[in-house]
Amino acid sequence: MTTKPIDVPTTAPPEDPAHSPPSAPPPATEPAAARVTVRGAANSARRLSVPRSVRRASGPVGLVLAWFLASTTGVLPESVLASPVDVVGQAVELTRSGELPGAIAASGRRAATGFLIGAAVALSLSLLAGLFRLGEDVIDSSMGMFRAIPWVGLIPLFIVWFGIDETPKIALVALGVTYPLYFNIYGGIRSTDAQLVEAARMMGLGRLGLIRYVILPSALPGALVGLRYALSTAWLALVFAEQVNADAGLGYLMSNAQQYFRTDIIVLCLAVYALLGLTCDFAVRVLSRRLLRWRAGFEGEA
């Protein structure tokens, strides 16, 4: 009995997709090209976006433009508010005569002196209250009580105490600066992470090292926020202080302009106050970026 040979198929059986080996990755050139395309689209979108400086200036420029249009069309009469053209012309005239630079210098000296005194007092009190419990018990409740008193209402009392010279004006500025700086520095010190303090103690840091390397850096963001508030408050307090028997400064120009109903000079002095405050605020913002490089903070959505 003879057997027929069995034909063995030469073709491989179909592969099971579940057990098939993984396919080879695509060439590396395709993803690279895709990445280049995406980066180019992002760069083009970034180029088409409006710069932040332009967006920040759009608000003030829009207000001045609306003011100019209202004055030009007669909606806003000059007896109520002078036009921007008149204000700019008065600024040029007072600058040429030297009155405006002299007034800015006098107001700047008062604001700087009062700010330095108030900052020194606020820093000393906040460190004592923030670092020591006894200081907190003695100082913090008193500061909270005095903060409730409107500092503008203390002008008559300051006149009785210090007279009508420069001292009450500087004292009012110093008082207005003290509160925002004190509460922000004190809050920054007390918001230091307790676990970070314990870790520093376990590493062998003493009290001075703990204050220098842990507590003060943690309080720095709050101190810079308080500095911004304090600078704006200094100029605000100066507006009220220079209304009291001033013989120089921006408040003196405003008092004289009020007697003759010169709204252009009044608006000019207010604009100078605003520009000085904006300049100080910009300086603090730049300082904050330099001092807080180590701190990763949220900067807002794009």
Side-chain angles (χ1 to χ4, degrees):
M1 182 176 178
T2 60
T3 59
K4 296 181 179 181
I6 300 175
D7 297 331
V8 178
T10 58
T11 60
E15 297 179 353
D16 188 0
H19 300 282
S20 61
S23 59
T29 56
E30 295 181 2
R35 285 196 297 268
V36 171
T37 304
V38 172
R39 188 180 296 114
N43 290 336
S44 61
R46 192 178 302 160
R47 285 195 298 268
L48 294 177
S49 62
V50 180
R52 290 195 66 188
S53 58
V54 177
R55 288 182 292 176
R56 292 178 68 90
S58 61
V61 171
L63 290 176
V64 173
L65 182 60
W67 177 21
F68 174 76
L69 293 176
S71 301
T72 304
T73 56
V75 177
L76 190 64
E78 292 187 3
S79 58
V80 176
L81 189 64
S83 66
V85 178
D86 296 336
V87 174
V88 173
Q90 194 63 41
V92 173
E93 181 179 348
L94 291 178
T95 302
R96 289 176 179 175
S97 64
E99 293 184 58
L100 187 59
I104 294 175
S107 297
R109 285 193 298 268
R110 291 171 183 146
T113 305
F115 175 81
L116 291 176
I117 296 174
V121 174
L123 182 61
S124 303
L125 295 179
S126 60
L127 289 177
L128 290 175
L131 297 176
F132 307 102
R133 294 181 181 178
L134 178 61
E136 178 186 11
D137 297 338
V138 175
I139 297 173
D140 189 62
S141 57
S142 301
M143 292 296 292
M145 178 182 63
F146 287 126
R147 184 182 59 172
I149 301 175
W151 44 267
V152 179
L154 296 175
I155 294 178
L157 191 59
F158 282 179
I159 293 176
V160 173
W161 288 349
F162 307 116
I164 57 176
D165 294 331
E166 294 294 310
T167 306
K169 302 175 181 60
I170 295 174
L172 189 65
V173 174
L175 185 65
V177 166
T178 300
Y179 295 122
L181 266 180
Y182 167 80
F183 284 105
N184 280 277
I185 297 175
Y186 169 77
I189 292 174
R190 287 307 177 94
S191 63
T192 304
D193 191 356
Q195 296 181 356
L196 188 62
V197 174
E198 291 298 328
R201 286 175 176 170
M202 292 178 63
M203 293 179 64
L205 280 180
R207 175 172 294 182
L208 292 180
L210 185 66
I211 294 173
R212 179 180 178 183
Y213 296 107
V214 178
I215 296 178
L216 292 184
S218 300
L220 185 59
L224 291 173
V225 173
L227 182 61
R228 293 181 64 183
Y229 278 110
L231 286 172
S232 61
T233 306
W235 293 109
L236 178 62
L238 191 64
V239 174
F240 294 98
E242 290 187 334
Q243 303 296 320
V244 181
N245 194 35
D247 55 358
L250 295 172
Y252 173 71
L253 289 180
M254 291 179 63
S255 299
N256 289 343
Q258 180 185 1
Q259 297 177 5
Y260 297 101
F261 302 98
R262 296 293 303 272
T263 59
D264 51 352
I265 299 179
I266 295 175
V267 173
L268 173 61
C269 294
L270 293 176
V272 172
Y273 276 125
L275 290 176
L276 291 174
L278 185 63
T279 302
C280 294
D281 186 76
F282 176 76
V284 176
R285 289 171 65 92
V286 173
L287 182 65
S288 299
R289 294 193 190 101
R290 292 182 177 274
L291 295 180
L292 299 179
R293 288 178 179 177
W294 53 272
R295 183 172 176 262
F298 178 66
E299 296 182 355
E301 297 289 344

